[in-house]
Amino acid sequence: MTSSTPFPADLPRYESLGLGAAQSELEQFDHLTAYRQLGPIYQLTFRGETWVAIGGMEANEAAWRNPDQWDYHEALPPFRELMGPSHVTQLDGEPHRRKRRNLKPGFAMSAVFGLIPAIDHSVAGDLRAAAGQSLRLHDFFMLALTRANSRTLLRCDFDDVTAATFIRFEEHFIRGTSMGEARHAYYALPGFVADRAAVFAFLGELVDRRLAGESAGDNFDAMIAERRERGETLDRAELIPEAYLLLMAGTGNTAKLLNCGLQNLSQDPAWLARLTAELADYTPEKFLGGMGAFPLLKATLLEIERLFPAAPVLARVVAEPFTFNGYTLEKGTKVLHLQTLPHFLDEIYADPYRFDPARWIDREYPKKAQGTYGGSTHLCLGINLVRLHMPVVVANLLRDYRLELGEQPRITVNVNYGVPQVADLMARFEPLRAAV
Ligand code: HEM
């Protein structure tokens, strides 16, 4: 917020709660206590700046009602800096709507659904190749999912060295997005500069081939073809980050959810046994009709999404005066939208810190109580993909393997809500049958 931006003088202050000194990391705040004691809107100091936090069902309703009240261009500069000015995440208004339209042939449910058997085939092969080895679960999932993307959404020759470079780049890139100004030094590290150059060179050559007429029959082709039909110009610099989205984006978050979920599942033997029984005769074709035949799997995944939202808080900047709960925030105000706070309210989800998939059986919760993928027009582009990747991975794993988790940090949910770091969870997949 600039010093000239008027600020509601009587807005409650987080610091008045006496919960601790100024905080530097998001997870150091206790937003649940603040929400209970101060209400759904309050101010706080975060990394030396004043922000306004909004949370609860009413905040989700208000924040998602009118997406044009937010300025994404100002809120997410790291995406622009690294991916270029046309990257979807930081576009607003009509350019954003146009971009989402252009991305649809790549990510709509109708565009990804038919890929289930191919995704399954790829994941099953990677599980077989990894069986019996002790591995870092997070790395394995990122690699398996990115490889699956390279065989479905963006078909390309993606060898192990290239895959490792992409994964290093993505992890470094995403870590930097939450570092504030410190990201500049982080992104200038020579290893990252080299990885970035390699990633962009790889995708640049791929885009050049497609623009020259090469066809791979994949989702990228569909995106390009639809734009051609509409008579839109095809811009190389715009297509490169789009190819990146198809190949790699979000796999770290999916891996995180799978890590957390599998650890919690392994600690609930009764539910795990029922779920394993449900998946005993899983085939990918059975998912083509939806998840109806797998109610326990569906419930398990919804619970994983609830308890481990990989991006629990969204940074926003007010674009036009925004009135919420009697306070008006002026243009330029920095807002932390605690969009997943309702996941941890016991008036909505009983005993909210408990991993309890059964809570989803025969029961629905309000849409605005679910913030894992954000909401409104900037709703996660990859949501349909995640909701295929996760069931395919879990179904293959439980049907064919016993998961042995190694020496591991206990994954607890942050008391303030949020996601713990789980990247160092070790595991081994032991085949249940010789033929796997
Ligand atoms: C479990 C995994 C994932 C989680 C928890 C997640 C979460 C989110 C969240 C919270 C947002 C912000 C929405 C907003 O600003 O309102 C978002 C946006 C986005 N996600 Fe995901 N995501 C995941 C996986 C993916 C995947 C696999 C992709 C692959 C393309 C992806 C691509 C995007 C993009 C491009 C946006 C920006 C959309 C826009 O600004 O229009 N995400 N995601």
Side-chain angles (χ1 to χ4, degrees):
M1 194 177 68
T2 61
S3 53
S4 57
T5 306
F7 203 72
D10 55 343
L11 196 58
R13 276 204 77 86
Y14 177 89
E15 288 74 16
S16 71
L17 295 168
L19 294 171
Q23 313 288 333
S24 59
E25 297 303 326
L26 278 175
E27 61 268 24
Q28 291 170 333
F29 290 93
D30 182 351
H31 286 298
L32 272 180
T33 301
Y35 173 77
R36 295 286 187 216
Q37 297 191 16
L38 303 176
I41 177 167
Y42 47 90
Q43 56 180 306
L44 66 154
T45 303
F46 174 52
R47 295 200 183 117
E49 290 185 286
T50 304
W51 291 70
V52 174
I54 60 170
M57 297 287 279
E58 52 281 68
N60 286 356
E61 166 69 33
W64 292 332
R65 192 183 309 128
N66 171 19
D68 291 341
Q69 75 207 352
W70 304 117
D71 180 342
Y72 282 81
H73 183 82
E74 286 305 317
L76 300 163
F79 287 90
R80 181 167 65 253
E81 291 157 8
L82 286 189
M83 288 290 159
S86 68
H87 190 54
V88 59
T89 323
Q90 41 87 53
L91 295 176
D92 293 297
E94 183 46 35
H96 181 255
R97 281 187 281 279
R98 171 189 163 266
K99 175 63 95 175
R100 291 288 298 222
R101 195 170 55 238
N102 285 345
L103 291 168
K104 222 172 166 182
F107 295 95
M109 193 43 113
S110 54
V112 295
F113 207 59
L115 303 174
I116 291 175
I119 294 170
D120 176 272
H121 185 71
S122 181
V123 166
D126 278 354
L127 280 168
R128 250 191 323 274
Q133 300 167 33
S134 174
L135 41 83
R136 275 179 97 228
L137 209 49
H138 190 269
D139 294 354
F140 172 79
F141 288 139
M142 275 193 88
L143 183 60
L145 296 177
T146 309
R147 270 216 199 105
N149 289 342
S150 76
R151 292 161 176 161
T152 54
L153 300 175
L154 184 77
R155 288 198 190 127
C156 58
D157 198 2
F158 199 56
D159 62 30
D160 288 352
V161 176
T162 312
T165 307
F166 267 76
I167 290 172
R168 270 199 316 274
F169 170 77
E170 168 77 0
E171 292 281 82
H172 200 128
F173 166 35
I174 296 300
R175 212 170 299 134
T177 59
S178 58
M179 284 186 173
E181 291 305 306
R183 72 182 181 277
H184 297 299
Y186 190 62
Y187 288 153
L189 292 171
F192 180 70
V193 172
D195 284 346
R196 183 177 177 220
V199 162
F200 276 75
F202 180 90
L203 295 175
E205 284 166 24
L206 186 147
V207 167
D208 289 339
R209 289 195 301 274
R210 299 293 176 98
L211 288 179
E214 184 186 280
S215 162
D218 60 9
N219 293 33
F220 198 36
D221 273 1
M223 280 159 52
I224 291 174
E226 201 175 285
R227 237 175 288 187
R228 280 206 169 110
E229 272 167 35
R230 272 204 303 271
E232 285 203 30
T233 33
L234 288 162
D235 174 13
R236 181 181 193 268
E238 191 176 0
L239 288 169
I240 290 174
E242 293 181 14
Y244 187 81
L245 288 174
L246 289 165
L247 188 55
M248 177 86 243
T251 48
N253 278 344
T254 312
K256 227 178 202 181
L257 263 74
L258 284 166
N259 261 10
C260 298
L262 289 171
Q263 194 193 42
N264 275 267
L265 266 179
S266 72
Q267 288 162 358
D268 187 346
W271 183 266
L272 181 60
R274 287 179 62 199
L275 179 60
T276 306
E278 180 181 275
L279 292 169
D281 60 352
Y282 155 77
T283 60
E285 290 69 28
K286 289 186 179 167
F287 280 169
L288 290 172
M291 296 274 284
F294 300 93
L296 303 186
L297 180 61
K298 188 175 171 198
T300 303
L301 297 174
L302 287 169
E303 184 66 346
I304 293 172
E305 289 180 357
R306 181 192 71 83
L307 199 51
F308 301 106
V313 179
L314 299 171
R316 297 279 181 257
V317 174
V318 174
E320 52 190 52
F322 167 56
T323 299
F324 175 58
N325 214 41
Y327 296 100
T328 297
L329 305 178
E330 298 299 333
K331 179 177 162 64
T333 307
K334 289 188 164 183
V335 173
L336 288 178
H337 176 197
L338 314 172
Q339 95 280 9
T340 58
L341 188 129
H343 297 200
F344 302 94
L345 295 176
D346 53 13
E347 58 270 38
I348 303 171
Y349 300 99
D351 199 0
Y353 284 96
R354 200 167 143 238
F355 179 72
D356 179 17
R359 73 171 82 240
W360 293 93
I361 298 287
D362 296 329
R363 163 137 216 193
E364 286 188 8
Y365 293 91
K367 249 192 147 36
K368 297 282 183 308
Q370 294 159 49
T372 297
Y373 300 102
S376 191
T377 48
H378 283 260
L379 178 78
C380 176
L381 179 71
I383 182 170
N384 297 323
L385 201 56
V386 178
R387 286 179 162 171
L388 301 186
H389 279 164
M390 294 219 297
V392 165
V393 169
V394 174
N396 270 281
L397 247 178
L398 297 189
R399 185 193 56 191
D400 295 338
Y401 301 90
R402 192 179 68 251
L403 181 70
E404 288 180 1
L405 292 177
E407 209 34 52
Q408 49 186 289
R410 169 85 185 103
I411 299 175
T412 47
V413 185
N414 189 306
V415 283
N416 314 326
Y417 86 83
V419 177
Q421 185 50 256
V422 291
D424 49 359
L425 199 60
M426 299 297 292
R428 188 198 301 268
F429 313 128
E430 287 300 334
L432 289 172
R433 292 174 301 279
V436 168

